[in-house]
Amino acid sequence: METRLISWNVNGIRALWRKGFEAWLGQQSPDILCLQETKAQADQLPPSLLQPFGYYSYWDYPERKGYSGVAIYSRTPPEDVRRGFGVDRFDAEGRVLVGRYTDFTLFNVYFPNGKMGPDRLQYKLDFYDAFLDHLLARRAYGERIVVCGDFNTAHHEIDLARPKDNARTSGFLPEERAWMDRLVGNGFIDAFRRFNTQPGNYTWWDLKTGARDRNVGWRLDYFFVSADLVDSLVDASIMGDVTGSDHCPVGLTLAAR
């Protein structure tokens, strides 16, 4: 038996709903769907989005309306669901959902964007550090971990079309990439790169410049797994043909343990 997961920064779930999201969900029918940047509160969502047919749904809403937000749709209810990771200044922005399943603990995360200025860049780096501390503490308890979402950083030069042009741009700064190095150094594996080591595989494109048509993109969306789940990896993919957002979905398939 296998578990198929999809992660997608939807850049506004209500806008995507008007572009055929429900039909896409029905066609894909993943076991677990993680959404980031939902940009909606419960009272702004139609019932078919708040609780899709065939799924249990879980949401983390930010205090600020029309901003951030994450959701999990799951065919099987997790054993436990937590919102945030216990740090108020980060949890207030509605960026983290944690679902504990029998075979793994799933972190659905919308990491901060650092492009708005020095304060937000520092917030992002602080978030990174606090989140990794939390992740390592959970792993120390013996949990097998899957982390997915929009990391808002391209890890290596292969992960964006124009690395030299963006060397001083948030999303590819040395300090942001160094944190990704720390994540890997602590035993977390970039699932997609276990199956595909080729360039030209991106998950975000600047829509204003028509970058997607030219595939001038960045790989910002990932699945990372702890080392004790590597033997369960069946497939990891980028669903680059799926439109509706400035990001495309990414997928992961795990074999049952």
Side-chain angles (χ1 to χ4, degrees), residues 218-248:
W218 300 54
R219 189 168 75 100
L220 302 178
D221 304 85
Y222 302 80
F223 275 98
F224 279 90
V225 300
S226 52
D228 48 9
L229 279 173
V230 169
D231 291 343
S232 298
L233 290 174
V234 175
D235 187 38
S237 62
I238 290 175
M239 305 167 71
D241 60 335
V242 178
T243 59
S245 170
D246 52 352
H247 293 251
C248 73

Side-chain angles (χ1 to χ4, degrees), residues 10-11 14-22 24 207 243-245:
V10 293
N11 192 22
R14 290 171 292 170
L16 191 64
W17 177 61
R18 293 189 291 269
K19 298 174 184 176
F21 171 74
E22 288 180 74
W24 175 85
L207 297 183
T243 59
S245 170

Side-chain angles (χ1 to χ4, degrees), residues 59-229:
W59 298 77
D60 190 16
Y61 307 105
E63 293 178 358
R64 174 181 164 189
K65 285 193 173 185
Y67 178 75
S68 191
V70 289
I72 294 175
Y73 294 161
S74 182
R75 290 204 174 278
T76 303
E79 297 171 359
D80 181 64
V81 177
R82 300 289 175 92
R83 291 163 178 82
F85 60 100
V87 181
D88 289 345
R89 65 185 286 239
F90 302 131
D91 294 349
E93 293 198 356
R95 293 182 175 275
V96 179
L97 275 173
V98 187
R100 182 164 53 82
Y101 293 84
T102 301
D103 289 340
F104 56 85
T105 298
L106 173 65
F107 288 81
N108 174 21
V109 188
Y110 176 39
F111 290 89
N113 189 315
K115 290 182 178 178
M116 297 300 291
D119 290 347
R120 287 305 291 181
L121 175 59
Q122 190 58 56
Y123 181 90
K124 176 183 182 179
L125 296 173
D126 292 348
F127 185 106
Y128 271 168
D129 290 342
F131 178 74
L132 182 56
D133 288 345
H134 180 78
L135 212 58
L136 295 177
R138 296 289 290 260
R139 193 183 63 181
Y141 282 107
E143 296 183 51
R144 296 181 292 270
I145 291 173
V146 176
V147 185
C148 72
D150 176 2
F151 282 64
N152 260 312
T153 296
H155 189 187
H156 297 295
E157 289 194 358
I158 194 176
D159 295 318
L160 71 167
R162 295 176 176 169
K164 290 183 174 59
D165 292 347
N166 289 286
R168 297 185 179 182
T169 301
S170 179
F172 197 58
L173 293 173
E175 55 267 44
E176 294 167 317
R177 298 170 64 198
W179 182 84
M180 301 283 280
D181 290 339
R182 285 179 55 209
L183 182 66
V184 172
N186 276 284
F188 291 90
I189 289 88
D190 180 348
F192 178 75
R193 288 302 182 200
R194 298 287 292 194
F195 297 93
N196 189 317
T197 59
Q198 298 302 307
N201 289 286
Y202 310 126
T203 66
W204 176 83
W205 302 263
D206 184 357
L207 297 183
K208 294 178 182 177
T209 61
R212 190 163 191 170
D213 293 337
R214 296 173 285 120
N215 198 30
V216 179
W218 300 54
R219 189 168 75 100
L220 302 178
D221 304 85
Y222 302 80
F223 275 98
F224 279 90
V225 300
S226 52
D228 48 9
L229 279 173

Side-chain angles (χ1 to χ4, degrees), residues 3-41:
T3 300
R4 183 165 173 255
L5 303 92
I6 295 177
S7 174
W8 193 4
N9 179 322
V10 293
N11 192 22
I13 186 65
R14 290 171 292 170
L16 191 64
W17 177 61
R18 293 189 291 269
K19 298 174 184 176
F21 171 74
E22 288 180 74
W24 175 85
L25 178 60
Q27 291 165 359
Q28 289 295 324
S29 193
D31 297 295
I32 302 170
L33 174 63
C34 295
L35 304 175
Q36 302 92 41
E37 205 172 359
T38 51
K39 296 182 179 179
Q41 303 287 325

